[in-house]
Amino acid sequence: SAPAVFSVGSAPTPTRMPLLQLLNYIDGRPVASRSTARTEVVDPATGEAYASAPDSGEADVDAAMTAALAAFNSFKRTTPSQRQGFLLKIASAIEAHADELARLECKNCGKPFLLTLDEEIAAAVDQIRFFAGAARQLEGRAAGEYMEGLLSMIVREPVGVCAAVTPWNYPLMMAVWKWAPALAAGNTVVLKPSDTTPVSTLRMAELMGAILPSGVFNVVCGRRETGRLLVEHAVPSLVSITGSVRAGREVAASAAPLLKRVHLELGGKAPVVVFADADLETAAADIAVAAYFNAGQDCTAATRVVVEAAAYETMVALLAREAEQNTKLGSATTMDSEGVLVGPLNSRAQLERVKGFFDRLPPHARVVAGGRPAGGRGFFFEPSVVAGLRQEDEMVQEEIFGPVITVQPFADEAAAVAMANGVQYGLASSVWTSDHARALRCCRAFDFGTVWVNTHIPLVAEMPHGGFKQSGGGKDLSAYGFEEYTRVKHVMSKL
């Protein structure tokens, strides 16, 4: 039988199956929206609508916030060991439903099934278990007599109700990155998934609801206006978003009147700096995977390659070979096949956006692989490589969010650093070289929150993820990410 957050409605027609009717999840149960507005949810691999989600309004957001606030009053009193127990049970429930959740994620996002199961669902389970442990490991300054006769101590407390807005590229995992540290610290959550990808989040909420007290975790579906209502509501003390720079600016502006804390994980334009002394064949193969994973729809994707001039043409040729011969592009009927790396883009709008970059290419640019939609059903775009670009070009400066690698030459180390840092973003980067001292100099010079050396894109729960400049502020994952969802109180007592 279908999960309670889904119901079958809208009678089938000769050309269309009935749509799943999605419900919000508020106060421990699926709830119909008080708004009559709906949004269609489309399978990107086929281009066909298969579900309908609420476009929630003020009454829905208010109901979720009321439930979260009521739950916070008791949940904040739970002990770290109790919260750890909740998270461990949730991790086990998600693990037990891994195949189901992966299927939902793949249909909603167009992802390759085997990769999603191994690289995303398993990782999300591990991250929940990390935060379950972190719940019992908060650290602070030692209590002490910093003034004679007065004992001072530090108390870390939950901040309150947290409003979270998640993106469409990794819906389930990005939701975990927000609710897991928030709940581990004793907060409650109201989360809005992207309007194009709400399905896996709703099913996860239902699994969580069987374990958590009512109202601790709530999901409200909707478009941008629903997100604005979440952010501007009087209840949340913290707002966390993963999304574009534009979305981050809007959230920060909406949160400003009430001076709410904001946690922003925004866009990226990761430089991949390759020196001539690197193992070029290995680098090209690894870079292609890091660039084309999730169809390049990743803010850390290795899509901006900067190569020492002596190795430039060799690297261009190697990357073109990876794109054309060694990168398996899926189709509407092959997304379950072994070896498929590149699925469709999220939506027709995203497909047109990526295509637009190619329509506007300057005359000096050279498309050496791909460069066009794959054709057929769905929103597939060919794995692409573009050479001959200059630092000021749109493809170099703006986040494409598609399976597109750009390649630029540099003259020396100083030029490489300048080109790497010469964008508005500061999320992630990598350097490829056999010279250890050079690698460390680049790590020091790169203005990015993560620097990988001779690899690109691996993440672990124990280490922080977050950027500088227009890539936002705050950290996800790690103990640093956990602390984002706490506040510090000084208690002083007379002896």
Side-chain angles (χ1 to χ4, degrees):
S1 61
V5 285
F6 313 149
S7 63
V8 177
S10 82
T13 70
T15 59
R16 179 155 145 167
M17 294 297 292
L19 298 182
L20 290 173
Q21 299 296 304
L22 307 180
L23 305 172
N24 290 328
Y25 194 86
I26 298 174
D27 204 16
R29 61 191 178 88
V31 177
S33 172
R34 300 182 194 182
S35 166
T36 57
R38 309 285 296 182
T39 62
E40 283 195 337
V41 180
V42 174
D43 180 348
T46 64
E48 297 169 358
Y50 72 97
S52 170
D55 189 9
S56 300
E58 188 173 355
D60 301 303
V61 171
D62 194 56
M65 291 297 176
T66 299
L69 183 60
F72 177 67
N73 289 328
S74 55
F75 194 68
K76 67 182 179 181
R77 303 297 181 200
T78 57
T79 64
S81 64
Q82 288 173 320
R83 297 195 295 274
Q84 180 189 53
F86 287 134
L87 264 66
L88 290 175
K89 288 178 182 177
I90 292 169
S92 294
I94 291 174
E95 193 170 51
H97 291 81
D99 274 30
E100 175 196 0
L101 289 167
R103 292 286 178 197
L104 293 173
E105 191 84 333
C106 290
K107 190 169 182 64
N108 206 170
C109 304
K111 296 173 182 282
F113 173 71
L114 295 174
L115 270 182
T116 303
L117 188 63
D118 293 342
E119 300 291 336
E120 296 185 36
I121 307 300
V125 169
D126 177 70
Q127 290 152 6
I128 297 166
R129 288 176 174 149
F130 168 81
F131 284 114
R136 303 179 73 165
Q137 292 293 322
L138 267 177
E139 297 178 353
R141 187 182 298 275
E145 229 179 306
Y146 298 98
M147 183 177 287
E148 187 177 350
L150 296 167
L151 178 67
S152 285
M153 63 193 78
I154 294 296
V155 179
R156 277 201 177 268
E157 299 179 332
V159 298
V161 175
C162 299
V165 179
T166 53
W168 47 255
N169 56 339
Y170 297 104
L172 186 141
M173 186 185 291
M174 293 300 98
V176 166
W177 284 22
K178 300 196 181 307
W179 68 252
L183 268 56
N187 303 288
T188 58
V189 174
V190 178
L191 184 147
K192 188 198 85 69
S194 168
D195 58 292
T196 64
T197 56
V199 179
S200 60
T201 303
L202 286 169
R203 179 61 178 132
M204 179 168 60
E206 193 171 34
L207 295 173
M208 294 167 66
I211 295 163
L212 292 168
S214 295
V216 170
F217 183 64
N218 308 272
V219 177
V220 178
C221 299
R223 302 181 200 243
R224 187 182 300 178
E225 175 64 12
T226 309
R228 185 189 65 78
L229 291 169
L230 233 71
V231 174
E232 293 183 357
H233 199 280
V235 165
S237 300
L238 179 148
V239 177
S240 177
I241 178 176
T242 298
S244 66
V245 172
R246 174 202 55 76
R249 288 173 181 153
E250 290 178 0
V251 165
S254 294
L258 295 179
L259 297 177
K260 294 178 183 178
R261 284 171 58 176
V262 291
H263 179 279
L264 306 174
E265 201 276 276
L266 308 177
K269 193 69 182 175
V272 182
V273 177
V274 182
F275 287 90
D277 65 350
D279 180 337
L280 299 181
E281 294 228 4
T282 299
D286 291 349
I287 290 166
V289 172
Y292 298 139
F293 185 84
N294 205 39
Q297 299 170 123
D298 188 309
C299 357
T300 65
T303 52
R304 183 166 66 98
V305 179
V306 184
V307 188
E308 192 168 6
Y312 177 70
E313 291 299 340
T314 300
M315 181 57 74
V316 169
L318 288 171
L319 289 170
R321 184 183 71 184
E322 290 297 326
E324 293 176 336
Q325 300 178 24
N326 299 335
T327 301
K328 191 171 181 180
L329 175 66
S331 68
T333 58
T334 62
M335 293 306 295
D336 284 2
S337 301
E338 190 170 355
V340 171
L341 176 65
V342 182
L345 297 171
N346 170 259
S347 62
R348 186 169 301 282
Q350 186 63 17
L351 179 67
E352 290 301 317
R353 184 178 187 278
V354 174
K355 182 176 176 292
F357 278 92
F358 286 88
D359 294 340
R360 297 186 298 273
L361 271 179
H364 53 264
R366 179 165 49 106
V367 178
V368 296
R372 57 187 179 271
R377 290 195 297 160
F379 310 132
F380 294 88
F381 200 92
E382 294 179 350
S384 305
V385 178
V386 182
L389 289 163
R390 299 169 185 167
Q391 187 70 15
E392 67 274 14
D393 288 336
E394 181 189 32
M395 267 198 176
V396 171
Q397 291 295 321
E398 298 298 328
E399 193 171 30
I400 301 170
F401 236 53
V404 182
I405 295 175
T406 64
V407 197
Q408 301 168 260
F410 68 81
D412 55 28
E413 186 176 320
V417 170
M419 292 169 72
N421 290 339
V423 293
Q424 65 176 324
Y425 303 98
L427 184 58
S429 59
S430 63
V431 56
W432 302 71
T433 178
S434 59
D435 185 330
H436 185 62
R438 174 190 283 154
L440 292 181
R441 289 194 301 271
C442 288
C443 289
R444 179 180 61 188
F446 286 0
D447 197 11
F448 296 85
T450 294
V451 184
W452 288 288
V453 178
N454 293 326
T455 188
H456 194 108
I457 227 168
L459 295 172
V460 292
E462 293 83 357
M463 290 292 116
H465 175 79
F468 310 142
K469 300 192 291 188
Q470 297 294 304
S471 290
K475 299 296 183 185
D476 288 314
L477 303 176
S478 80
Y480 300 100
F482 182 35
E483 290 174 359
E484 296 278 347
Y485 292 88
T486 69
R487 64 185 189 183
V488 175
K489 178 183 285 184
H490 169 218
V491 176
M492 180 182 277
S493 175
K494 190 173 183 179
L495 296 174

